[in-house]
């Protein structure tokens, strides 16, 4: 249980440490969120809103099951299964087609867009325009080249009837008058003043202009934003929606699109009636010619035989033969219609429509003709926006061929049946003829001519009646799409203010979070006390030295109350606890200051340790033990050229002559490294180095040895045996984490002993144990702006 509690505590501490990595940068989070929200509000303010306009229509669909539709027989056979579903999908495809949108754009002249601009804002306008542009001629190839160079957009400046067109990209100008033709190079235009335009105060501050685009590009743009969807799978209710920055324009586009769709649907409906009218007119011409020929034969017959009225003479025959003639006349009419229809059907291809309502008594045949025409119309309409290999077209071709084959068989069967009926009537007629054998042959000839005349007259009158009926159906046409809801604008869909502001907040929050996280992940340097403790648990840390400003002195002065001075006082206090194990030694304490590589602040640490001890009344000497790259002279400013190396080489040199008193503190002396020797390692092994330290112990309380980096050379290891305490300097944000293994291994190997770390150049925000709160205790209180500056 104790182990679980300990693990819980460690986990809690780790979470706090991770949070602390980010919490110390809280001002950056505030600034990032502030600017992200500011940019979000600016975006919402400067961006043009996008509105959604919608319209709803019902596609009128004929019931294929009803007997009057002419398709019931095929529907019962399952030939037309799925036709309604594919039909409504085809209607949706037609509404979304570029061809329909092109007709709409052309009808509304939307390839010319108008805008007003003022200061940084440029906004498209639609109805409230002070002028209108009409295109007389447009060269699309030249327009595309002009558009690439930005030469298709102009600002219009006018004074009375004089107008000037200023290109927005180049300084090219065109001058003209309202109502006059103007050549732009790729288009001839006429600009007319809008007499209904009423200017306001805000309009006076705006510049007006227009942009000419190709119809194809405008169609492509609006077609991508147009959405046509079936509201319910079991109905023909369709919703059209369009997103645009100008709601009035999007509403007009949707309304005009429905108008164009209905126009095309009416044209398709009239196609059947038009083809029927053409067929009837052709037949009327032929029958009229045949009727004239029969009447002429009848007239010649009477003139040659001096006949006036044969009705009385043949009254008895006519009464007996009335039924025969009536049947003979009806069957002959049906046979001739069947023959003509067969001839027409054999020569017609899949795109031609058959004449309807010709009066066939066979109801099934009339239904087949109606069904055939509807399939042909459907096929022709799809081909206008598609190609012959379209699966739907192929399916329709198969259905047409099936119906055509069925029609041919039905007509042939009807013709065969009519021939049989005629044969039967002929037999009946022969019986009648035998009864009227007494009637002169002249009467028979006359009746033959009269019979032909009646047949032709009956057919002629019948076709005239059908032509009038067809004309009525051509004149009365209803739109295919019934408008349920005219186009209306429901509101803005973009930009979504809630999403933009919330997104800006999250971006402002996560951006510094990701930067800090990435920085921590990629960081391979020691940053704070925690990094040092986690990697060197066997070596104690006696102090943390803060980063100093460039304007701040890097040396401690007497009665110094700065954070730097306090950090060294704490380091010395901690050091005193480590020296307790050294017994009663109160004088000549030797402190060896070293590091892994150069640049970690050994000399800086040595100097300030010495000054802190000197300010405490201790006699201190700093010895330059780095004979290869001495840095102590930067702080001493010594004029003496001789030092430790000279003392070790020359036995005649007096040690006291090499020591120089510091100007910084009367209790502080320096012994510089002296001349740079060719063999520093051999000199440090010399017995005189030990003698030198023994002599210095007599006069000084503390001897601080400023040594060379121990990873680069072996000099420090040679003299570490003389040290009472080894102060190993690690520089924050400079020393790599991997290099900490070197002092640990050196301690384990016995090359260094009594090792303690001093963490140098620590950012105040990374101080451990709350030192950042206590070091400035008693110092001057910082102003608010100084605190903010310190945070950043």
């Amino acid at each position: 249980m104790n182990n679980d509690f300990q693990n819980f505590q460690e986990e809690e501490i780790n979470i706090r440490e991770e949070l602390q990595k980010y919490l110390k940068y809280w001002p950056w989070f505030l600034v990032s969120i502030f600017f992200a929200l500011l940019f979000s509000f600016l975006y919402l303010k400067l961006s043009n809103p996008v509105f959604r306009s919608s319209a709803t229509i019902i596609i009128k669909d004929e019931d294929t099951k009803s007997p009057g539709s002419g398709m019931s027989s095929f529907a019962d056979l399952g030939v037309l299964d799925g036709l309604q579903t594919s039909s409504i999908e085809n209607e949706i495809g037609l509404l979304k087609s570029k061809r329909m949108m092109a007709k709409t754009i052309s009808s509304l002249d939307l390839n010319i867009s108008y805008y007003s601009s003022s200061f940084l804002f440029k906004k498209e306008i639609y109805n409230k325009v002070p002028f209108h542009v009409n295109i007389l001629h447009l060269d699309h190839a030249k327009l595309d080249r002009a558009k690439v160079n930005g030469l298709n957009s102009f600002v219009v400046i006018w004074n009375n009837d004089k107008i000037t067109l200023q290109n927005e990209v180049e300084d090219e100008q065109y001058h003209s008058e309202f109502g006059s033709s103007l050549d732009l190079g790729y288009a001839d235009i006429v600009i007319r003043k809008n007499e209904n335009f009423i200017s306001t105060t805000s309009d006076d501050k705006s510049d007006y202009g227009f942009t000419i685009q190709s119809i194809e590009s405008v169609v492509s743009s609006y077609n991508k934003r147009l959405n046509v969807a079936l509201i319910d799978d079991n109905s023909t209710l369709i919703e059209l929606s369009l997103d645009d920055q100008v709601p009035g324009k999007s509403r007009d586009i949707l309304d005009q699109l429905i108008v164009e769709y209905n126009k095309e649907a009416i044209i398709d409906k009239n196609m059947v009636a038009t083809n029927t009218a053409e067929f009837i007119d052709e037949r009327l011409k032929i029958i009229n010619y045949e009727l004239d020929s029969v009447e002429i034969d009848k007239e010649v017959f009477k003139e040659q035989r001096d006949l006036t009225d044969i009705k009385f003479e043949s009254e008895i025959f006519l009464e007996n033969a009335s039924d025969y003639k009536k049947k003979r006349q009806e069957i002959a009419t049906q046979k001739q219609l069947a023959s003509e229809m067969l001839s027409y059907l054999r020569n017609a291809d899949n795109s031609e429509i058959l004449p309807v309502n010709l009066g066939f008594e066979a109801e099934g045949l009339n239904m087949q003709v109606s069904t055939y025409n509807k399939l042909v119309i459907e096929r022709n309409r799809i081909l206008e926006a598609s190609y012959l290999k379209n699966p739907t077209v192929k399916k329709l071709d198969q259905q047409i061929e099936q119906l055509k084959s069925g029609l041919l068989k039905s007509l042939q069967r009807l013709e065969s049946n009519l021939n049989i009926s005629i044969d039967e009537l002929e037999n009946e007629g022969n019986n009648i003829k035998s009864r009227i054998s007494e009637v002169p042959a002249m009467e028979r000839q006359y009746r033959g001519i009269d019979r032909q005349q009646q047949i032709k007259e009956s057919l002629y009158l019948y076709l005239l009646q059908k032509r009038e009926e067809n004309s009525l159906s051509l004149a009365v046409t209803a739109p295919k799409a019934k408008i349920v809801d005219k186009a209306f604008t429901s509101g803005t869909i973009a930009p979504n203010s809630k999403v933009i502001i919330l997104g800006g907040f999250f971006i402002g929050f996560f951006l510094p979070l990701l930067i800090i996280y990435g920085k921590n992940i990629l960081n391979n340097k020691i940053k704070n006390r925690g990094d040092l403790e986690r990697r060197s648990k066997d070596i104690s840390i006696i102090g943390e030295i803060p980063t100093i400003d460039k304007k701040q002195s890097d040396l401690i002065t007497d009665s110094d109350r700065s954070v730097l001075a306090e950090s060294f006082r704490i380091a010395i206090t901690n050091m005193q606890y480590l020296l307790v194990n050294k017994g009663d030694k109160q004088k000549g304490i030797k402190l060896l200051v070293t590091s892994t590589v150069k640049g970690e602040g050994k000399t800086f640490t040595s100097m300030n340790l010495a000054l802190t001890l000197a300010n405490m009344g201790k006699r201190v000497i700093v010895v330059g033990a780095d004979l290869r790259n001495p840095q102590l002279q930067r702080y001493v400013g010594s004029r003496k050229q001789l030092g430790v190396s000279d003392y070790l080489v020359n036995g005649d040199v007096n040690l006291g002559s090499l020591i120089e008193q510091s100007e910084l503190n009367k209790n502080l002396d320096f012994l510089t490294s002296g001349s740079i020797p060719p063999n520093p390692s051999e000199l440090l092994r010399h017995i005189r180095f030990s003698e030198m330290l023994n002599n210095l112990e007599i006069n000084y309380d503390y001897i601080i040895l400023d040594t060379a980096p121990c990873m680069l050379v072996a000099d420090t290891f040679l003299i570490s045996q003389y040290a009472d305490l080894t102060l190993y300097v690690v520089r924050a944000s400079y020393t790599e984490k991997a290099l900490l293994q070197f002092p640990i291994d050196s301690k384990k190997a016995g090359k260094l002993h009594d090792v303690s770390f001093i963490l140098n150049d620590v950012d105040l925000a990374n101080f451990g144990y709350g030192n950042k709160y206590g070091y400035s205790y008693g110092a001057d209180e910082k102003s608010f702006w100084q605190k903010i500056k310190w945070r950043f």
Side-chain angles (χ1 to χ4, degrees), residues 574-713:
N574 293 332
M575 183 181 69
Q576 298 296 334
Y577 286 103
L578 298 175
L579 292 173
V580 171
N581 297 328
K582 298 301 179 180
D584 297 332
K585 188 175 183 180
Q586 299 293 329
K587 201 168 185 180
I589 298 174
K590 295 179 285 298
L591 304 176
L592 186 143
V593 181
T594 186
S595 67
T596 306
V597 294
K598 68 176 183 177
E600 292 182 291
K602 298 181 302 299
T603 307
F604 165 78
T605 304
S606 299
M607 283 295 301
N608 283 293
L609 277 173
L611 285 170
T612 303
L613 291 169
N615 290 334
M616 297 168 60
K618 303 294 183 179
R619 288 283 296 162
V620 185
I621 184 170
V622 180
V623 179
D626 185 358
L627 303 183
R628 299 174 185 269
N629 186 24
Q631 298 295 322
L632 190 58
Q633 286 83 344
R634 292 189 297 112
Y635 295 96
V636 175
S638 175
R639 298 178 182 177
K640 294 183 179 181
Q641 300 295 325
L642 303 180
V644 175
S645 60
D646 302 287
Y647 174 78
L648 297 177
V649 171
N650 191 352
D652 297 332
V653 176
N654 183 16
L655 181 60
S657 63
L658 301 177
I659 297 174
E660 182 179 358
Q661 186 176 5
S662 171
E663 297 178 357
L664 301 174
N665 194 296
K666 63 180 180 179
N667 294 324
L668 177 61
D669 291 338
F670 296 108
L671 177 58
T672 60
S673 58
S675 304
I676 299 176
N679 54 345
S681 297
E682 286 75 5
L683 291 179
L684 293 175
R685 287 192 180 95
H686 203 283
I687 190 62
R688 284 179 62 82
F689 188 82
S690 176
E691 293 175 356
M692 179 188 71
L693 294 178
N694 292 333
N695 292 331
L696 293 176
E697 286 182 7
I698 299 172
N699 299 317
Y700 295 97
D701 297 320
Y702 287 92
I703 302 168
I704 299 177
L705 301 175
D706 181 26
T707 64
C710 56
M711 185 177 180
L712 303 179
V713 293

Side-chain angles (χ1 to χ4, degrees), residues 140-330:
H140 292 281
K142 292 182 178 180
L143 175 60
D144 292 338
R145 291 193 294 269
K147 184 178 179 180
V148 173
N149 299 322
L151 302 178
N152 64 325
S153 186
F154 299 92
V155 175
V156 180
I157 304 171
W158 67 90
N159 185 11
N160 295 327
D161 289 338
K162 303 291 184 181
I163 56 175
T164 300
L165 270 62
Q166 175 70 49
N167 183 258
E168 291 187 337
V169 178
E170 299 182 358
D171 293 333
E172 187 176 4
Q173 292 184 347
Y174 297 90
H175 301 279
S176 182
E177 296 181 356
F178 283 114
S180 299
S181 175
L182 180 60
D183 185 8
L184 299 178
Y186 54 83
D188 293 330
I189 64 171
V190 174
I191 301 178
R192 293 183 172 86
K193 186 181 294 185
N194 183 7
E195 302 296 340
N196 297 324
F197 176 74
I198 301 175
S199 177
T200 62
T201 305
S202 58
D203 295 331
D204 295 336
K205 301 178 182 179
S206 302
D207 295 329
Y208 292 92
F210 65 92
T211 301
I212 300 176
Q213 300 180 11
S214 62
I215 292 180
E216 290 79 7
S217 63
V218 179
V219 168
S220 178
S221 174
Y222 280 104
N223 216 52
K224 292 177 182 177
R225 288 177 276 156
L226 176 66
N227 184 42
V228 182
L230 192 64
I231 294 179
D232 191 288
D233 293 337
N234 298 321
S235 69
T236 59
L237 198 63
I238 295 177
E239 182 184 48
L240 298 87
S241 60
L242 182 63
D243 301 336
D244 194 64
Q245 294 180 355
V246 184
K249 180 189 287 188
S250 59
R251 290 195 298 269
D252 288 351
I253 289 176
L254 292 178
D255 289 337
Q256 187 64 32
L257 182 63
I258 297 172
V259 171
E260 296 296 333
Y261 172 79
N262 280 330
K263 284 182 180 179
E264 187 159 307
I266 291 172
I267 292 174
D268 291 340
K269 289 181 179 179
N270 289 339
M271 191 180 298
V272 176
T274 302
N275 288 338
T276 302
E278 293 176 356
F279 173 80
I280 292 175
D281 289 339
E282 291 178 1
R283 297 308 306 158
L284 283 173
K285 290 179 182 178
I286 296 172
I287 293 172
N288 186 49
Y289 173 77
E290 293 176 353
L291 185 59
D292 288 342
S293 177
V294 170
E295 289 178 347
I296 291 173
D297 292 342
K298 184 177 181 180
E299 181 181 354
V300 172
F301 183 84
K302 286 185 176 182
E303 288 178 353
Q304 291 177 350
R305 292 164 178 77
D306 296 328
L307 296 175
T308 56
D309 186 7
I310 312 177
K311 183 178 180 181
F312 177 77
E313 299 177 4
S314 57
E315 184 176 357
I316 298 174
F317 169 76
L318 292 176
E319 290 177 354
N320 296 330
S322 60
D323 292 336
Y324 164 76
K325 288 191 293 181
K326 183 178 180 181
K327 292 180 180 180
R328 184 69 173 79
Q329 178 180 334
E330 291 175 353

